[in-house]
Amino acid sequence: MANRTEKDLWIEMTIREIWTQANLAELAYRNLALRAGTDASFSFIHAFLTHCANVSEMLAAGDGENPPKTIGEVLEVSNGSYIHSRIFRNHLAHFDKRVREWICNKGTKAVAGATSVAPKSKLMIPGKSLVSHYDPANKIFTFMDEDFNISALYDEVIKVKWQADIWVKNAG
């Protein structure tokens, strides 16, 4: 591109990094299938959610114009895309605050199941809360009794990766 501007380079570099982060999210998600144990599973989940949040943040980046055009608009990823669901990554990033809220709501006699990988049905005991749980059969990550379908997020990050790939191929 002979007359490439700083903005053009910024867009290209950001889209290439979106592809990289989406690729790393895909790798982390696929590693969950290895069933490499509880610690590895949670490491992969945390990595997956973090890479997806990175993609989301880069998609929301504006070009500094007035009105700003976002990278998401360049790639035709809607603001309503599921990739923008950062709540579970934020829960993990602010674990200390979430635990305080949970204790405040449940009380000090609450029974907490933390960092478990198993079918959810095997762990459900009356009065027990799932603080951090992954059900590999359903691909559901549970945090503070709230379920999150990570396979839906995976599908969305793969779409974004594909869109970034097409954009790069067409720009080159």
Side-chain angles (χ1 to χ4, degrees):
M1 183 182 268
N3 295 324
R4 180 165 61 175
T5 66
E6 288 179 5
K7 179 178 168 182
D8 293 334
L9 181 58
W10 172 77
I11 289 170
E12 180 181 343
M13 289 178 70
T14 304
I15 290 174
R16 287 180 183 276
E17 184 60 20
I18 286 170
W19 185 93
T20 298
Q21 291 294 318
N23 191 56
L24 294 171
E26 179 181 14
L27 179 63
Y29 181 86
R30 288 179 182 230
N31 281 336
L32 276 169
L34 298 176
R35 307 239 174 141
T38 301
D39 289 349
S41 293
F42 278 89
S43 176
F44 298 143
I45 290 168
H46 286 233
F48 172 73
L49 293 172
T50 298
H51 292 303
C52 288
N54 291 344
V55 169
S56 172
E57 290 170 8
M58 285 184 268
L59 288 169
D63 63 5
E65 300 291 326
N66 191 10
K69 185 171 185 177
T70 67
I71 296 292
E73 290 173 300
V74 172
L75 289 178
E76 298 177 357
V77 176
S78 114
N79 288 336
S81 166
Y82 199 56
I83 194 66
H84 296 302
S85 178
R86 294 186 226 159
I87 191 165
F88 280 83
R89 200 278 304 170
N90 292 344
H91 283 334
L92 296 173
H94 302 286
F95 185 85
D96 59 322
K97 294 175 187 169
R98 301 311 190 264
V99 169
R100 287 179 189 268
E101 292 169 8
W102 181 84
I103 292 169
C104 187
N105 290 332
K106 297 285 185 173
T108 57
K109 295 191 190 292
V111 179
T115 320
S116 56
V117 177
K120 191 173 181 179
S121 60
K122 290 187 177 186
L123 299 173
M124 296 310 297
I125 299 168
K128 181 178 182 180
S129 290
L130 294 178
V131 174
S132 187
H133 174 262
Y134 178 62
D135 184 337
N138 299 318
K139 300 199 175 29
I140 300 293
F141 174 59
T142 303
F143 185 81
M144 303 292 178
D145 289 324
E146 188 177 348
D147 290 343
F148 183 66
N149 182 341
I150 63 171
S151 65
L153 184 56
Y154 170 78
D155 292 343
E156 197 64 19
V157 80
I158 293 304
K159 286 181 197 171
V160 172
K161 179 183 171 186
W162 178 81
Q163 287 168 277
D165 193 45
I166 296 298
W167 188 93
V168 169
K169 286 177 182 172
N170 290 336

